[in-house]
Amino acid sequence: MSLYSHLTHRRSTGKVTLADVAKEAGVGTMTVSRALRTPEMVSETIREKIQLAVKKLGYVPNTAARELASASSRNIVVVTSSLLSIENSLILESLQNQLKSSNFQLVILVANEYSWLNKLINNMPLAVILLNLSCPQEEAEWIQNSGIVCLEIGSKHTNTVGINIGIDTKSAVQKVIDYLVSKGYHDIGLLCAQQEQAIFQQYLACWHTALHHHHLNSHQVLHCSDPISFSTGAKLFNDALSSWGKIDAFVFLSDQLACGALFEAQRQHISVPYDVAIIGLGGLECSETTYPKLTTLHIPYAELGQIAGKKLLELLSFPDRDTQNAILLDTYIIKRESA
């Protein structure tokens, strides 16, 4: 059964009930209700049994099931690890613009290192959007078993939970390295700050592949846990100079970090791009305001949100319509003076 026919079946029957979960877990219905709404009042052993049952059955709370069946549930839950990044803000703004003429309620759920499955269930989602987030196995299994519409916005995923709307990270990193090599740079370092760990690991793997393709050293990587900002970019720039000494070019996984590095280079009278080249990822507005202007890889954040909004409306209106599993948008180098 396809995801969409499965969704239709669940909406029409509402067959998974609180009693089903209770029977599967071997507890009473009141215990299940208490575990989902006030988990601190239930022992860890019982909570684990209930979580396994919820995940296995793809349970949606009864109130949500009734709303889903009558098409009156309006909650679109966006799950992300950060509301502070400009990139996520651009995607969300564009997504909201696409949905503003509908009656859907956009709910933002900030995921942390702990399980966020209970919070997701209690928000009674009509659809789930994973924004620049790697979905843990428990949450992914529940979303798939529930049949709820799911979109993943950000990088390309190998194992998707829903429809993946994003960019090909491998292609993006390869374009950056190919461009720098074509300009004569061969001693290249990667700098990055606080980011979703799974996404960072994806970029890192692509980084090694791209540099090995040109037979270049791929081990000059500097990562810090500080939030992405201009000051963090300046700090990373100084730390890299101290650690690596002479280097041809710096690649930052954020335009904000790269702009901070440009400001710091100017303060130290380091000539860019003659002493060192600097390139960012994003194509953000701040990249046009620096001196020299920042060379950057354009990532279509606004378009990702726009397409996700249109696709979501399409899926909710026509749940049985066949659709592709992935929609990948192109990236391109914006050539400016910093590299």
Side-chain angles (χ1 to χ4, degrees):
M1 183 182 292
S2 71
L3 170 64
Y4 309 107
S5 59
H6 183 62
L7 171 60
T8 305
H9 178 68
R10 284 293 175 85
R11 286 182 179 177
S12 61
T13 65
K15 67 175 183 179
V16 181
T17 67
L18 200 71
D20 294 328
V21 175
K23 183 178 179 180
E24 179 72 25
V27 298
T29 55
M30 288 298 294
T31 303
V32 175
S33 178
R34 189 176 298 114
L36 294 176
R37 297 189 177 279
T38 53
E40 67 278 2
M41 297 180 65
V42 180
S43 72
E44 183 177 353
T45 301
I46 298 298
R47 285 202 311 270
E48 288 178 357
K49 288 183 179 180
I50 292 171
Q51 287 285 17
L52 287 172
V54 165
K55 180 175 65 175
K56 178 179 178 180
L57 299 176
Y59 170 70
V60 179
N62 284 344
T63 52
R66 288 196 298 270
E67 289 177 332
L68 286 169
S70 64
S72 61
S73 174
R74 314 313 295 172
N75 284 353
I76 308 298
V77 180
V78 179
V79 189
T80 184
S81 61
S82 173
L83 291 176
L84 300 178
S85 74
I86 293 178
E87 295 84 356
N88 282 355
S89 297
L90 290 171
I91 293 173
L92 277 173
E93 181 181 5
S94 187
L95 176 66
Q96 285 178 308
N97 286 337
Q98 286 298 311
L99 300 178
K100 65 183 179 182
S101 59
S102 67
N103 294 321
F104 296 125
Q105 175 71 33
L106 212 59
V107 178
I108 310 297
L109 173 59
V110 179
N112 52 33
E113 65 271 23
Y114 304 107
S115 173
W116 39 265
L117 181 57
N118 275 357
K119 291 181 180 179
L120 177 62
I121 293 172
N122 288 332
N123 274 297
M124 302 180 297
L126 175 62
V128 177
I129 296 175
L130 305 175
L131 176 56
N132 279 316
L133 183 80
S134 178
C135 190
Q137 183 178 354
E138 184 179 26
E139 283 79 355
E141 289 181 2
W142 181 85
I143 291 170
Q144 291 177 323
N145 290 338
S146 71
I148 290 173
V149 170
C150 178
L151 302 181
E152 294 180 272
I153 309 176
S155 299
K156 176 183 176 181
H157 292 282
T158 303
N159 299 314
T160 58
V161 181
I163 296 176
N164 189 191
I165 301 173
I167 65 162
D168 186 337
T169 305
K170 181 178 180 180
S171 171
V173 173
Q174 190 69 57
K175 288 175 184 177
V176 171
I177 299 303
D178 288 349
Y179 175 77
L180 290 173
V181 171
S182 73
K183 293 293 182 180
Y185 301 108
H186 295 93
D187 198 4
I188 306 169
L190 177 68
L191 301 98
C192 37
Q194 190 181 84
Q195 193 171 19
E196 172 70 25
Q197 186 63 27
I199 295 174
F200 167 67
Q201 291 296 336
Q202 187 178 14
Y203 271 109
L204 188 60
C206 297
W207 171 262
H208 289 304
T209 301
L211 284 170
H212 290 165
H213 176 75
H214 290 284
H215 308 288
L216 299 177
N217 177 17
S218 66
H219 299 295
Q220 294 181 129
V221 177
L222 191 59
H223 178 270
C224 75
S225 59
D226 296 336
I228 293 173
S229 66
F230 293 151
S231 59
T232 301
K235 178 181 181 296
L236 281 168
F237 180 72
N238 284 327
D239 290 346
L241 288 176
S242 299
S243 301
W244 299 335
K246 179 63 178 175
I247 194 167
D248 290 343
F250 289 142
V251 177
F252 289 86
L253 285 189
S254 162
D255 279 351
Q256 283 178 283
L257 296 174
C259 288
L262 280 174
F263 297 146
E264 180 63 16
Q266 189 173 28
R267 189 185 70 82
Q268 295 189 37
H269 305 290
I270 296 173
S271 180
V272 177
Y274 304 105
D275 293 333
V276 65
I278 293 176
I279 189 169
L281 265 68
L284 302 180
E285 185 179 1
C286 63
S287 66
E288 302 179 39
T289 63
T290 57
Y291 179 81
K293 290 184 178 181
L294 178 67
T295 298
T296 180
L297 180 86
H298 175 75
I299 298 175
Y301 295 114
E303 192 177 353
L304 288 172
Q306 181 183 42
I307 291 175
K310 289 180 178 179
K311 181 57 63 177
L312 182 62
L313 293 173
E314 176 187 322
L315 291 173
L316 294 176
S317 299
F318 307 100
D320 294 324
R321 177 177 293 178
D322 290 334
T323 185
Q324 62 267 56
N325 291 325
I327 302 172
L328 299 180
L329 304 187
D330 198 16
T331 59
Y332 57 87
I333 296 288
I334 300 176
K335 302 174 184 178
R336 299 198 184 108
E337 295 88 352
S338 71

